[in-house]
Amino acid sequence: MQIIQDVRAFMSISGARILLAMFLLYGIGTGMLAPMNAVYLDESVGLSKEQIVAVFAVSLFCNIAITITVGWFSDRLRRKKKLPLVAAFLCIIGLAVYMNASDFRSALIGMTIAVAPSGLIMGQLFGMARSHFARKAGELVEMAQLWLRASFSVGFFAGLLLGANIFLIATFRGVLWGNVAGYVCLAVLLLAYKETAGEPATKTAVKGEPFSLVMLIALLLLSCADAIRGLYLQLVVLKLFGKPEVMSYIWSTQAVFELFFMTLGGYWAARYGSKKIIFLGGCFALAAYLTYTSSGSLPVFFAVQPLYSFFVSILAGVAMGYVQRMFLSRTGFGASLYVFITQTASLIGYFLPLFIQGITPDIFYIPSALVTLSLLIIGVVLYRERGSKNRSANVVNRAV
């Protein structure tokens, strides 16, 4: 089978395994804290809903500014790994402040230092990886990117399960130390990784994508919807079911499906086109959001995870590759632009639910509307592309 041959070829590439380990361990460290962040600020620090949003928003705004600024000139650097390496050390310092926060001010300072540099990590890691595989095995670039992203996701969801159990044993402080350990592992692997340089050894078989501002807006809307779920689902679950660790178990069910869905989505995108697969993923997301608004059953929340897992797989894998292919000659900027889109979406998404009083499932009507608008945009783009192809085919037939 093609996929087995591709996996074997991928694993035989020098540097591929250390990159996989890098994304996996970083994902584990990040996954421990992600579903606990808002709950930590709520229960341990005692912040209000508005203060929690402010902490997330300020730290994300700084993250966005750093990510796109550094991403703009990072392609001029012959070696990129020093950027995520420095960022990892800064994040560790920020977490040290964050875990000792006692009020709004200290929590804001700690999270800003911990989050602001982290945008350099994912963007620059993917920029490094694309350059690495373009030089080692150009025909596997897109699938290599997806498998690395899937490795992060597998680590992330393993971290969710680990974090939930650490929370039961060592409370929030243990979870925060787990996040620190993730950054330490990342730094160690970066120091061990030998970054490639020079011209590609093989000609890259990947075709670029035309720049499309409309599609970037559609992806921003999808990412914004996902950001709302990322922050507020954990708070809604806490209000409905009363146990912070439940959210970690809900998110961890995605790990069962995400590696498969990312691989499947990558091959489907190569065959049918990225935009069609992104549209399909958006339909699955809409079904999940509407389920959140209409059901208060914990088993239903678990049951809807495979649908949402497919959407996240497409948004994190296929959409990321789609954006990067708009800037094939600038790998660092292309990867940073995708991170910029997701982080900007998070910044917007954190504020929109403030228009709904309290923390209720009604919040998910907002991401439902955002996904619907995105699907309309993508649908129009696909319709116009189909019309353009039909007109071109008619012109050719007439000429013949």
Side-chain angles (χ1 to χ4, degrees):
M1 293 177 63
Q2 181 65 38
I3 183 173
I4 296 176
Q5 294 175 356
D6 288 347
V7 170
R8 287 176 178 173
F10 170 80
M11 295 303 294
S12 67
I13 299 170
S14 62
R17 296 187 182 187
I18 193 170
L19 284 168
L20 273 177
M22 199 181 298
F23 280 92
L24 178 68
L25 293 175
Y26 178 50
I28 291 173
T30 304
M32 288 184 192
L33 182 60
M36 299 286 189
N37 243 331
V39 180
Y40 168 73
L41 293 173
D42 180 19
E43 293 198 343
S44 293
V45 186
L47 302 188
S48 66
K49 175 184 174 182
E50 290 74 17
Q51 287 177 321
I52 293 174
V53 172
V55 168
F56 275 82
V58 171
S59 57
L60 266 178
F61 179 80
C62 295
N63 181 297
I64 290 168
I66 291 174
T67 299
I68 199 64
T69 301
V70 177
W72 182 259
F73 69 79
S74 65
D75 291 300
R76 302 175 188 175
L77 301 175
R78 190 166 180 268
R79 304 284 184 180
K80 293 186 178 69
K81 81 171 186 177
K82 59 186 177 184
L83 294 175
L85 187 59
V86 171
F89 283 118
L90 289 175
C91 290
I92 291 171
I93 294 172
L95 283 170
V97 177
Y98 185 62
M99 71 173 61
N100 291 296
S102 58
D103 54 20
F104 172 71
R105 181 174 175 272
S106 56
L108 177 62
I109 294 172
M111 191 167 183
T112 300
I113 299 174
V115 171
S118 65
L120 292 180
I121 295 174
M122 288 298 283
Q124 295 306 313
L125 285 184
F126 278 114
M128 286 166 49
R130 179 171 282 274
S131 297
H132 182 94
F133 289 104
R135 293 183 174 101
K136 300 288 186 178
E139 71 281 358
L140 287 177
V141 170
E142 294 305 315
M143 292 311 301
Q145 293 282 100
L146 286 174
W147 287 326
L148 290 175
R149 182 58 180 83
S151 176
F152 174 82
S153 294
V154 170
F156 183 86
F157 294 116
L160 292 177
L161 284 175
L162 187 59
N165 288 285
I166 289 176
F167 171 77
L168 294 175
I169 299 171
T171 68
F172 288 113
R173 182 163 290 273
V175 175
L176 287 164
W177 274 113
N179 194 219
V180 170
Y183 284 111
V184 171
C185 290
L186 174 65
V188 171
L189 289 172
L190 278 168
L191 289 171
Y193 171 69
K194 185 178 180 181
E195 190 173 2
T196 58
E199 295 300 320
T202 59
K203 185 177 180 180
T204 302
V206 179
K207 294 182 179 179
E209 296 278 358
F211 177 78
S212 174
L213 180 60
V214 173
M215 280 300 299
L216 292 179
I217 293 173
L219 293 178
L220 176 67
L221 293 172
L222 291 177
S223 298
C224 187
D226 182 55
I228 293 173
R229 176 193 178 270
L231 175 60
Y232 287 96
L233 183 60
Q234 53 190 302
L235 296 175
V236 170
V237 166
L238 180 64
K239 295 297 180 183
L240 290 177
F241 308 113
K243 296 180 179 180
E245 65 273 16
V246 168
M247 188 59 213
S248 291
Y249 294 131
I250 289 176
W251 269 5
S252 66
T253 57
Q254 290 183 210
V256 179
F257 306 97
E258 195 151 319
L259 176 58
F260 171 73
F261 283 154
M262 276 198 182
T263 301
L264 184 65
Y267 282 103
W268 280 1
R271 182 173 181 179
Y272 301 108
S274 296
K275 289 187 280 292
K276 291 180 181 178
I277 303 304
I278 293 170
F279 183 90
L280 179 62
C283 292
F284 279 38
L286 182 59
Y289 294 140
L290 293 177
T291 301
Y292 292 148
T293 62
S294 60
S295 176
S297 168
L298 184 57
V300 172
F301 273 62
F302 276 98
V304 80
Q305 284 306 110
L307 293 179
Y308 203 80
S309 178
F310 183 82
F311 167 65
V312 171
S313 299
I314 299 305
L315 188 63
V318 175
M320 178 189 68
Y322 174 72
V323 173
Q324 286 182 311
R325 289 194 301 277
M326 291 184 186
F327 305 92
L328 277 181
S329 61
R330 302 192 62 189
T331 58
F333 178 72
S336 294
L337 178 61
Y338 175 79
V339 175
F340 172 80
I341 290 172
T342 58
Q343 299 291 46
T344 301
S346 297
L347 184 62
I348 297 171
Y350 292 158
F351 283 101
L352 290 179
L354 293 178
F355 293 101
I356 294 179
Q357 186 175 4
I359 298 174
T360 71
D362 289 345
I363 285 174
F364 295 103
Y365 283 116
I366 296 176
S368 298
L370 293 172
V371 170
T372 300
L373 179 57
S374 179
L375 291 175
L376 288 173
I377 293 173
I378 300 173
V380 170
V381 171
L382 290 171
Y383 178 78
R384 289 180 176 176
E385 286 184 354
R386 183 177 179 182
S388 178
K389 289 179 180 179
N390 289 337
R391 287 192 296 271
S392 298
N394 290 334
V395 169
V396 171
N397 291 333
R398 290 173 185 172
V400 173

mmCIF file of all heavy atoms in Angstrom, residues 7 10-28 125 129 132-133 143-155 186 189 193 259:
data_model
loop_
_atom_site.group_PDB
_atom_site.id
_atom_site.type_symbol
_atom_site.label_atom_id
_atom_site.label_comp_id
_atom_site.label_asym_id
_atom_site.label_seq_id
_atom_site.Cartn_x
_atom_site.Cartn_y
_atom_site.Cartn_z
ATOM 1 N N VAL A 7 5.289 5.737 4.834
ATOM 2 C CA VAL A 7 5.706 5.741 6.247
ATOM 3 C C VAL A 7 7.122 5.189 6.386
ATOM 4 O O VAL A 7 7.956 5.739 7.117
ATOM 5 C CB VAL A 7 4.714 4.942 7.113
ATOM 6 C CG1 VAL A 7 5.273 4.726 8.517
ATOM 7 C CG2 VAL A 7 3.373 5.652 7.191
ATOM 8 N N PHE A 10 9.527 7.733 5.120
ATOM 9 C CA PHE A 10 9.609 8.833 6.084
ATOM 10 C C PHE A 10 10.518 8.478 7.250
ATOM 11 O O PHE A 10 11.398 9.249 7.642
ATOM 12 C CB PHE A 10 8.204 9.171 6.581
ATOM 13 C CG PHE A 10 8.165 10.122 7.740
ATOM 14 C CD1 PHE A 10 8.313 11.481 7.537
ATOM 15 C CD2 PHE A 10 7.981 9.668 9.040
ATOM 16 C CE1 PHE A 10 8.287 12.372 8.611
ATOM 17 C CE2 PHE A 10 7.948 10.538 10.116
ATOM 18 C CZ PHE A 10 8.100 11.892 9.887
ATOM 19 N N MET A 11 10.331 7.292 7.826
ATOM 20 C CA MET A 11 11.106 6.884 8.995
ATOM 21 C C MET A 11 12.579 6.648 8.669
ATOM 22 O O MET A 11 13.432 6.685 9.555
ATOM 23 C CB MET A 11 10.503 5.624 9.607
ATOM 24 C CG MET A 11 9.102 5.821 10.181
ATOM 25 S SD MET A 11 9.009 7.114 11.444
ATOM 26 C CE MET A 11 10.000 6.379 12.746
ATOM 27 N N SER A 12 12.876 6.402 7.387
ATOM 28 C CA SER A 12 14.267 6.159 7.000
ATOM 29 C C SER A 12 15.058 7.445 6.764
ATOM 30 O O SER A 12 16.279 7.410 6.629
ATOM 31 C CB SER A 12 14.317 5.308 5.726
ATOM 32 O OG SER A 12 13.795 6.022 4.611
ATOM 33 N N ILE A 13 14.374 8.581 6.733
ATOM 34 C CA ILE A 13 15.040 9.865 6.488
ATOM 35 C C ILE A 13 15.796 10.289 7.738
ATOM 36 O O ILE A 13 15.253 10.276 8.847
ATOM 37 C CB ILE A 13 14.017 10.946 6.094
ATOM 38 C CG1 ILE A 13 13.291 10.548 4.806
ATOM 39 C CG2 ILE A 13 14.698 12.300 5.909
ATOM 40 C CD1 ILE A 13 12.100 11.431 4.483
ATOM 41 N N SER A 14 17.033 10.675 7.585
ATOM 42 C CA SER A 14 17.822 11.125 8.732
ATOM 43 C C SER A 14 17.193 12.380 9.347
ATOM 44 O O SER A 14 16.817 13.307 8.641
ATOM 45 C CB SER A 14 19.260 11.431 8.298
ATOM 46 O OG SER A 14 19.288 12.481 7.357
ATOM 47 N N GLY A 15 17.065 12.379 10.658
ATOM 48 C CA GLY A 15 16.484 13.515 11.361
ATOM 49 C C GLY A 15 14.987 13.407 11.571
ATOM 50 O O GLY A 15 14.419 14.145 12.391
ATOM 51 N N ALA A 16 14.304 12.484 10.859
ATOM 52 C CA ALA A 16 12.848 12.392 10.974
ATOM 53 C C ALA A 16 12.424 11.948 12.372
ATOM 54 O O ALA A 16 11.461 12.475 12.938
ATOM 55 C CB ALA A 16 12.310 11.426 9.926
ATOM 56 N N ARG A 17 13.145 11.011 12.941
ATOM 57 C CA ARG A 17 12.744 10.475 14.245
ATOM 58 C C ARG A 17 12.930 11.487 15.374
ATOM 59 O O ARG A 17 12.103 11.570 16.286
ATOM 60 C CB ARG A 17 13.526 9.192 14.533
ATOM 61 C CG ARG A 17 13.208 8.085 13.545
ATOM 62 C CD ARG A 17 13.845 6.764 13.904
ATOM 63 N NE ARG A 17 13.539 5.755 12.909
ATOM 64 C CZ ARG A 17 13.844 4.469 13.018
ATOM 65 N NH1 ARG A 17 14.486 4.049 14.110
ATOM 66 N NH2 ARG A 17 13.522 3.613 12.067
ATOM 67 N N ILE A 18 13.986 12.268 15.296
ATOM 68 C CA ILE A 18 14.187 13.264 16.347
ATOM 69 C C ILE A 18 13.153 14.385 16.227
ATOM 70 O O ILE A 18 12.691 14.937 17.228
ATOM 71 C CB ILE A 18 15.633 13.828 16.312
ATOM 72 C CG1 ILE A 18 15.912 14.608 17.605
ATOM 73 C CG2 ILE A 18 15.861 14.718 15.107
ATOM 74 C CD1 ILE A 18 17.365 14.988 17.771
ATOM 75 N N LEU A 19 12.748 14.696 14.987
ATOM 76 C CA LEU A 19 11.678 15.671 14.801
ATOM 77 C C LEU A 19 10.357 15.138 15.348
ATOM 78 O O LEU A 19 9.599 15.873 15.998
ATOM 79 C CB LEU A 19 11.540 16.025 13.320
ATOM 80 C CG LEU A 19 12.597 16.967 12.747
ATOM 81 C CD1 LEU A 19 12.522 17.003 11.223
ATOM 82 C CD2 LEU A 19 12.445 18.385 13.307
ATOM 83 N N LEU A 20 10.079 13.861 15.098
ATOM 84 C CA LEU A 20 8.872 13.242 15.647
ATOM 85 C C LEU A 20 8.884 13.301 17.173
ATOM 86 O O LEU A 20 7.880 13.655 17.800
ATOM 87 C CB LEU A 20 8.772 11.786 15.190
ATOM 88 C CG LEU A 20 8.093 11.496 13.856
ATOM 89 C CD1 LEU A 20 8.170 10.002 13.561
ATOM 90 C CD2 LEU A 20 6.647 11.956 13.850
ATOM 91 N N ALA A 21 10.016 12.954 17.766
ATOM 92 C CA ALA A 21 10.133 12.979 19.226
ATOM 93 C C ALA A 21 9.961 14.397 19.765
ATOM 94 O O ALA A 21 9.346 14.609 20.815
ATOM 95 C CB ALA A 21 11.487 12.413 19.649
ATOM 96 N N MET A 22 10.486 15.360 19.031
ATOM 97 C CA MET A 22 10.397 16.760 19.433
ATOM 98 C C MET A 22 8.933 17.199 19.532
ATOM 99 O O MET A 22 8.493 17.771 20.543
ATOM 100 C CB MET A 22 11.152 17.617 18.410
ATOM 101 C CG MET A 22 11.533 18.998 18.893
ATOM 102 S SD MET A 22 12.394 19.913 17.579
ATOM 103 C CE MET A 22 13.848 18.883 17.344
ATOM 104 N N PHE A 23 8.158 16.905 18.477
ATOM 105 C CA PHE A 23 6.745 17.289 18.464
ATOM 106 C C PHE A 23 5.951 16.488 19.489
ATOM 107 O O PHE A 23 5.046 17.025 20.137
ATOM 108 C CB PHE A 23 6.162 17.090 17.063
ATOM 109 C CG PHE A 23 6.485 18.200 16.106
ATOM 110 C CD1 PHE A 23 7.601 18.132 15.293
ATOM 111 C CD2 PHE A 23 5.678 19.316 16.025
ATOM 112 C CE1 PHE A 23 7.903 19.151 14.407
ATOM 113 C CE2 PHE A 23 5.968 20.352 15.143
ATOM 114 C CZ PHE A 23 7.090 20.276 14.329
ATOM 115 N N LEU A 24 6.280 15.209 19.648
ATOM 116 C CA LEU A 24 5.549 14.354 20.589
ATOM 117 C C LEU A 24 5.719 14.830 22.026
ATOM 118 O O LEU A 24 4.735 15.032 22.757
ATOM 119 C CB LEU A 24 6.039 12.910 20.451
ATOM 120 C CG LEU A 24 5.392 11.892 21.405
ATOM 121 C CD1 LEU A 24 3.924 11.696 21.053
ATOM 122 C CD2 LEU A 24 6.132 10.555 21.344
ATOM 123 N N LEU A 25 6.961 15.038 22.459
ATOM 124 C CA LEU A 25 7.225 15.433 23.843
ATOM 125 C C LEU A 25 6.744 16.852 24.133
ATOM 126 O O LEU A 25 6.243 17.134 25.230
ATOM 127 C CB LEU A 25 8.710 15.292 24.155
ATOM 128 C CG LEU A 25 9.232 13.844 24.154
ATOM 129 C CD1 LEU A 25 10.739 13.811 24.343
ATOM 130 C CD2 LEU A 25 8.541 13.019 25.227
ATOM 131 N N TYR A 26 6.893 17.738 23.153
ATOM 132 C CA TYR A 26 6.366 19.093 23.318
ATOM 133 C C TYR A 26 4.843 19.054 23.444
ATOM 134 O O TYR A 26 4.247 19.775 24.256
ATOM 135 C CB TYR A 26 6.796 19.955 22.138
ATOM 136 C CG TYR A 26 6.266 21.375 22.186
ATOM 137 C CD1 TYR A 26 6.393 22.149 23.322
ATOM 138 C CD2 TYR A 26 5.639 21.937 21.070
ATOM 139 C CE1 TYR A 26 5.903 23.455 23.365
ATOM 140 C CE2 TYR A 26 5.155 23.233 21.097
ATOM 141 C CZ TYR A 26 5.289 23.992 22.241
ATOM 142 O OH TYR A 26 4.807 25.275 22.276
ATOM 143 N N GLY A 27 4.212 18.171 22.658
ATOM 144 C CA GLY A 27 2.766 18.017 22.743
ATOM 145 C C GLY A 27 2.315 17.502 24.099
ATOM 146 O O GLY A 27 1.304 17.957 24.645
ATOM 147 N N ILE A 28 3.064 16.555 24.660
ATOM 148 C CA ILE A 28 2.717 16.020 25.988
ATOM 149 C C ILE A 28 2.752 17.124 27.039
ATOM 150 O O ILE A 28 1.822 17.277 27.842
ATOM 151 C CB ILE A 28 3.674 14.875 26.376
ATOM 152 C CG1 ILE A 28 3.423 13.646 25.494
ATOM 153 C CG2 ILE A 28 3.502 14.509 27.854
ATOM 154 C CD1 ILE A 28 4.424 12.526 25.697
ATOM 155 N N LEU A 125 9.343 25.551 14.075
ATOM 156 C CA LEU A 125 9.556 24.101 13.970
ATOM 157 C C LEU A 125 9.039 23.569 12.642
ATOM 158 O O LEU A 125 9.692 22.758 11.974
ATOM 159 C CB LEU A 125 8.868 23.366 15.128
ATOM 160 C CG LEU A 125 9.521 23.440 16.511
ATOM 161 C CD1 LEU A 125 8.742 22.579 17.496
ATOM 162 C CD2 LEU A 125 10.972 22.996 16.468
ATOM 163 N N ALA A 129 11.100 21.988 9.614
ATOM 164 C CA ALA A 129 10.755 20.645 9.128
ATOM 165 C C ALA A 129 10.502 20.651 7.625
ATOM 166 O O ALA A 129 10.941 19.743 6.910
ATOM 167 C CB ALA A 129 9.521 20.136 9.871
ATOM 168 N N HIS A 132 13.747 20.847 5.947
ATOM 169 C CA HIS A 132 14.468 19.589 6.155
ATOM 170 C C HIS A 132 14.022 18.528 5.153
ATOM 171 O O HIS A 132 14.848 17.906 4.464
ATOM 172 C CB HIS A 132 14.233 19.091 7.583
ATOM 173 C CG HIS A 132 14.963 17.834 7.926
ATOM 174 N ND1 HIS A 132 16.202 17.853 8.536
ATOM 175 C CD2 HIS A 132 14.648 16.522 7.751
ATOM 176 C CE1 HIS A 132 16.615 16.605 8.718
ATOM 177 N NE2 HIS A 132 15.684 15.775 8.247
ATOM 178 N N PHE A 133 12.706 18.328 5.040
ATOM 179 C CA PHE A 133 12.203 17.280 4.156
ATOM 180 C C PHE A 133 12.256 17.687 2.687
ATOM 181 O O PHE A 133 12.347 16.821 1.807
ATOM 182 C CB PHE A 133 10.787 16.880 4.566
ATOM 183 C CG PHE A 133 10.739 16.117 5.851
ATOM 184 C CD1 PHE A 133 10.324 16.727 7.025
ATOM 185 C CD2 PHE A 133 11.152 14.796 5.910
ATOM 186 C CE1 PHE A 133 10.302 16.036 8.222
ATOM 187 C CE2 PHE A 133 11.138 14.090 7.106
ATOM 188 C CZ PHE A 133 10.711 14.703 8.267
ATOM 189 N N MET A 143 3.097 15.072 3.425
ATOM 190 C CA MET A 143 2.729 14.037 4.383
ATOM 191 C C MET A 143 3.623 14.092 5.622
ATOM 192 O O MET A 143 3.171 13.825 6.735
ATOM 193 C CB MET A 143 2.802 12.656 3.733
ATOM 194 C CG MET A 143 1.750 12.415 2.657
ATOM 195 S SD MET A 143 0.061 12.851 3.176
ATOM 196 C CE MET A 143 -0.191 11.804 4.592
ATOM 197 N N ALA A 144 4.885 14.459 5.436
ATOM 198 C CA ALA A 144 5.784 14.593 6.587
ATOM 199 C C ALA A 144 5.268 15.675 7.532
ATOM 200 O O ALA A 144 5.268 15.494 8.766
ATOM 201 C CB ALA A 144 7.198 14.924 6.116
ATOM 202 N N GLN A 145 4.809 16.790 6.977
ATOM 203 C CA GLN A 145 4.248 17.859 7.797
ATOM 204 C C GLN A 145 3.033 17.369 8.581
ATOM 205 O O GLN A 145 2.867 17.682 9.766
ATOM 206 C CB GLN A 145 3.851 19.042 6.907
ATOM 207 C CG GLN A 145 5.015 19.761 6.250
ATOM 208 C CD GLN A 145 5.730 20.694 7.210
ATOM 209 O OE1 GLN A 145 6.769 20.374 7.758
ATOM 210 N NE2 GLN A 145 5.173 21.866 7.411
ATOM 211 N N LEU A 146 2.177 16.594 7.909
ATOM 212 C CA LEU A 146 0.982 16.086 8.571
ATOM 213 C C LEU A 146 1.329 15.114 9.681
ATOM 214 O O LEU A 146 0.732 15.140 10.767
ATOM 215 C CB LEU A 146 0.077 15.392 7.543
ATOM 216 C CG LEU A 146 -0.693 16.306 6.588
ATOM 217 C CD1 LEU A 146 -1.413 15.474 5.541
ATOM 218 C CD2 LEU A 146 -1.694 17.169 7.336
ATOM 219 N N TRP A 147 2.295 14.248 9.438
ATOM 220 C CA TRP A 147 2.661 13.271 10.467
ATOM 221 C C TRP A 147 3.346 13.936 11.657
ATOM 222 O O TRP A 147 3.176 13.508 12.797
ATOM 223 C CB TRP A 147 3.542 12.182 9.859
ATOM 224 C CG TRP A 147 2.760 11.244 8.983
ATOM 225 C CD1 TRP A 147 1.462 10.846 9.160
ATOM 226 C CD2 TRP A 147 3.210 10.606 7.786
ATOM 227 N NE1 TRP A 147 1.076 9.995 8.143
ATOM 228 C CE2 TRP A 147 2.123 9.824 7.282
ATOM 229 C CE3 TRP A 147 4.403 10.604 7.070
ATOM 230 C CZ2 TRP A 147 2.227 9.062 6.126
ATOM 231 C CZ3 TRP A 147 4.497 9.841 5.916
ATOM 232 C CH2 TRP A 147 3.421 9.086 5.454
ATOM 233 N N LEU A 148 4.108 14.991 11.412
ATOM 234 C CA LEU A 148 4.710 15.725 12.519
ATOM 235 C C LEU A 148 3.620 16.415 13.339
ATOM 236 O O LEU A 148 3.661 16.420 14.571
ATOM 237 C CB LEU A 148 5.722 16.745 12.000
ATOM 238 C CG LEU A 148 7.016 16.170 11.416
ATOM 239 C CD1 LEU A 148 7.870 17.293 10.837
ATOM 240 C CD2 LEU A 148 7.804 15.388 12.459
ATOM 241 N N ARG A 149 2.650 17.014 12.629
ATOM 242 C CA ARG A 149 1.540 17.661 13.340
ATOM 243 C C ARG A 149 0.720 16.626 14.096
ATOM 244 O O ARG A 149 0.253 16.868 15.219
ATOM 245 C CB ARG A 149 0.655 18.420 12.344
ATOM 246 C CG ARG A 149 -0.519 19.177 12.984
ATOM 247 C CD ARG A 149 -0.011 20.172 14.016
ATOM 248 N NE ARG A 149 -1.090 20.913 14.643
ATOM 249 C CZ ARG A 149 -1.819 20.472 15.660
ATOM 250 N NH1 ARG A 149 -1.604 19.251 16.157
ATOM 251 N NH2 ARG A 149 -2.762 21.213 16.199
ATOM 252 N N ALA A 150 0.542 15.445 13.492
ATOM 253 C CA ALA A 150 -0.174 14.375 14.171
ATOM 254 C C ALA A 150 0.602 13.889 15.397
ATOM 255 O O ALA A 150 0.006 13.539 16.415
ATOM 256 C CB ALA A 150 -0.417 13.212 13.207
ATOM 257 N N SER A 151 1.937 13.879 15.292
ATOM 258 C CA SER A 151 2.765 13.494 16.435
ATOM 259 C C SER A 151 2.543 14.462 17.593
ATOM 260 O O SER A 151 2.429 14.043 18.757
ATOM 261 C CB SER A 151 4.240 13.484 16.025
ATOM 262 O OG SER A 151 5.073 13.208 17.133
ATOM 263 N N PHE A 152 2.460 15.754 17.283
ATOM 264 C CA PHE A 152 2.162 16.737 18.322
ATOM 265 C C PHE A 152 0.791 16.462 18.943
ATOM 266 O O PHE A 152 0.617 16.526 20.164
ATOM 267 C CB PHE A 152 2.203 18.146 17.746
ATOM 268 C CG PHE A 152 1.778 19.210 18.715
ATOM 269 C CD1 PHE A 152 2.664 19.722 19.651
ATOM 270 C CD2 PHE A 152 0.477 19.701 18.704
ATOM 271 C CE1 PHE A 152 2.274 20.690 20.558
ATOM 272 C CE2 PHE A 152 0.072 20.667 19.601
ATOM 273 C CZ PHE A 152 0.972 21.171 20.527
ATOM 274 N N SER A 153 -0.187 16.136 18.089
ATOM 275 C CA SER A 153 -1.544 15.881 18.584
ATOM 276 C C SER A 153 -1.598 14.648 19.468
ATOM 277 O O SER A 153 -2.253 14.645 20.514
ATOM 278 C CB SER A 153 -2.506 15.713 17.400
ATOM 279 O OG SER A 153 -2.632 16.922 16.680
ATOM 280 N N VAL A 154 -0.911 13.578 19.045
ATOM 281 C CA VAL A 154 -0.868 12.364 19.869
ATOM 282 C C VAL A 154 -0.237 12.683 21.224
ATOM 283 O O VAL A 154 -0.729 12.274 22.280
ATOM 284 C CB VAL A 154 -0.084 11.250 19.157
ATOM 285 C CG1 VAL A 154 0.164 10.077 20.103
ATOM 286 C CG2 VAL A 154 -0.848 10.774 17.928
ATOM 287 N N GLY A 155 0.867 13.455 21.201
ATOM 288 C CA GLY A 155 1.496 13.873 22.448
ATOM 289 C C GLY A 155 0.578 14.753 23.275
ATOM 290 O O GLY A 155 0.483 14.602 24.503
ATOM 291 N N LEU A 186 11.834 19.765 24.909
ATOM 292 C CA LEU A 186 11.961 20.412 23.610
ATOM 293 C C LEU A 186 13.334 21.051 23.452
ATOM 294 O O LEU A 186 13.990 20.912 22.405
ATOM 295 C CB LEU A 186 10.865 21.476 23.445
ATOM 296 C CG LEU A 186 10.958 22.334 22.179
ATOM 297 C CD1 LEU A 186 10.756 21.491 20.926
ATOM 298 C CD2 LEU A 186 9.944 23.479 22.227
ATOM 299 N N LEU A 189 16.076 18.367 22.892
ATOM 300 C CA LEU A 189 16.025 17.795 21.548
ATOM 301 C C LEU A 189 16.469 18.795 20.490
ATOM 302 O O LEU A 189 17.102 18.422 19.489
ATOM 303 C CB LEU A 189 14.610 17.293 21.247
ATOM 304 C CG LEU A 189 14.184 16.039 22.010
ATOM 305 C CD1 LEU A 189 12.711 15.747 21.794
ATOM 306 C CD2 LEU A 189 15.022 14.844 21.594
ATOM 307 N N TYR A 193 19.349 18.243 17.749
ATOM 308 C CA TYR A 193 18.951 18.189 16.341
ATOM 309 C C TYR A 193 19.960 18.912 15.447
ATOM 310 O O TYR A 193 20.383 20.034 15.747
ATOM 311 C CB TYR A 193 17.569 18.822 16.167
ATOM 312 C CG TYR A 193 17.136 19.020 14.738
ATOM 313 C CD1 TYR A 193 16.836 17.933 13.919
ATOM 314 C CD2 TYR A 193 16.999 20.308 14.207
ATOM 315 C CE1 TYR A 193 16.432 18.117 12.609
ATOM 316 C CE2 TYR A 193 16.594 20.498 12.908
ATOM 317 C CZ TYR A 193 16.308 19.410 12.107
ATOM 318 O OH TYR A 193 15.904 19.600 10.809
ATOM 319 N N LEU A 259 -4.651 10.849 14.517
ATOM 320 C CA LEU A 259 -3.561 10.412 13.644
ATOM 321 C C LEU A 259 -4.119 9.818 12.352
ATOM 322 O O LEU A 259 -3.651 10.138 11.259
ATOM 323 C CB LEU A 259 -2.688 9.379 14.363
ATOM 324 C CG LEU A 259 -1.550 8.763 13.542
ATOM 325 C CD1 LEU A 259 -0.607 9.842 13.027
ATOM 326 C CD2 LEU A 259 -0.791 7.737 14.363
#
